[in-house]
Structure formats: structure tokens, C-alpha cells
Amino acid sequence: DKPGIVDFTGNPKSAGVSDPSLAQAPDGHSVYMAFTIIHHYDNVYNHKDGRWSPGIRLAEAHTPCKIWADFGDVVPSNQEQVVGPDGINALFPENPLGTWWIEQPALVYDPGDPGKEYKLYYYRYLWVGPDEKSKQWTRLYGMIGYKSSHDPSTRQWSTEQWIFGVVVFNPQAEPAG
């Protein structure tokens, strides 16, 4: 049997899916897939049009994986105040909320870590815009994030931890403890 087609593009708030990462449950029947989805989110600066940003979602299927259940956002894109290199002031005082983009998930099953058997790693970075100056901020404000779950079917994940960042001055890039 061939696996089923996962089609989340029928959602009017979705513009595509990429970066699938699969992990099979120890029961041999359940398969979980983390993936990047370009999703339409609210925008605090433009409520009318919103914003398109990548985030991480999760889906589950049972072998032979013909039908997938979308579990929704695990790590959604969000807008929040981004602190500058001084650790105190907003990076962009005139527009203090930056948009975090999240993509490239890696879903891992680790039976040797009870209570945290499923680990989700991903790339989180600040998106300001496509121009060269904005890309410099993206390069400086990026990190690898991590969440864990005992059982993804419960849709319960740990609080996000930032494993490591691109540069030392990034105040959010403190290593996970």
C-alpha cells in the first residue's frame, strides 16, 4: 500500500506545507509527522490583512498512513517584543514587535528518556523583511528551539527551550538548563 496524501492546503489560511519529519510510535502503528506550514496569522500592525508566516504543526496517521489527522500548531509563528543587544531596549523602538518564523522541524523518538520520548527540534528566527538590512537581523536573531512530549497524541508539549543561538548577545539565546 502507498501512503496517503496529506493535503492541508485546502485550508484557506494555509499557503503550503514543507519539511516533513516522521517518527513511528513504539506500537508500530502510529506515525507522527511534524512539518512546516505557511499559515495566515493575525498581525498586530495590520489586523485587516494579517501576515503569512511559517510555523510547525503535527499530524498523526496509522499504518499504512492513508489518512492523516492534523493536530494543529505545536510551535506557531508569533509576534513579540524583541530586546536589542543591550538586553534592555526594544530592537525596533518604532515597531517593537518582531515576528518569529519557525521551520525545519526534526521529530525524534527517544525511548531512553521517560516522559520526554518525543523530541521536536526546529529553527526559530526573527523575520523583519526581505531587504539586506533586515536579513542581517535574521542572521543575528536565530536559534534552535526544542519541545518534548511523552505522547504527541495527547497534544501536550513541554514549554519551549532555546538550545543555542547564533550570537552570544542574543538575550533569548541562553542555553536550555
Side-chain angles (χ1 to χ4, degrees):
D1 283 336
K2 293 182 179 178
I5 295 173
V6 181
D7 181 10
F8 299 117
T9 58
N11 179 336
K13 291 192 167 206
S14 169
V17 173
S18 62
D19 308 325
S21 179
L22 302 169
Q24 187 166 20
D27 67 9
H29 299 290
S30 297
V31 178
Y32 298 102
M33 176 175 53
F35 56 93
T36 302
I37 188 166
I38 307 296
H39 195 74
H40 194 255
Y41 294 96
D42 289 332
N43 184 341
V44 296
Y45 297 118
N46 184 345
H47 293 290
K48 181 181 173 199
D49 295 332
R51 63 186 166 86
W52 291 95
S53 305
I56 305 296
R57 291 175 78 89
L58 189 76
E60 178 188 31
H62 299 282
T63 55
C65 302
K66 290 198 174 279
I67 299 172
W68 289 85
D70 180 8
F71 283 3
D73 287 327
V74 177
V75 190
S77 170
N78 65 314
Q79 290 180 298
E80 67 182 21
Q81 181 170 330
V82 179
V83 178
D86 65 4
I88 299 168
N89 296 305
L91 185 60
F92 308 107
E94 67 285 353
N95 249 351
L97 298 182
T99 300
W100 291 107
W101 283 18
I102 299 96
E103 58 182 295
Q104 301 172 340
L107 182 62
V108 178
Y109 176 71
D110 177 5
D113 195 1
K116 301 184 230 175
E117 291 86 346
Y118 292 89
K119 299 171 185 333
L120 179 62
Y121 300 91
Y122 44 88
Y123 179 44
R124 171 186 285 274
Y125 58 96
L126 179 66
W127 180 254
V128 181
D131 59 277
E132 285 306 311
K133 184 177 180 183
S134 296
K135 287 179 183 176
Q136 293 300 319
W137 291 116
T138 295
R139 290 183 190 106
L140 293 174
Y141 282 77
M143 65 279 311
I144 300 300
Y146 160 81
K147 286 188 171 194
S148 64
S149 176
H150 167 66
D151 179 359
S153 69
T154 66
R155 301 179 189 185
Q156 299 294 310
W157 289 86
S158 67
T159 302
E160 177 180 68
Q161 295 181 25
W162 294 6
I163 304 299
F164 58 85
V166 177
V167 293
V168 176
F169 75 74
N170 187 341
Q172 288 95 0
E174 295 296 323

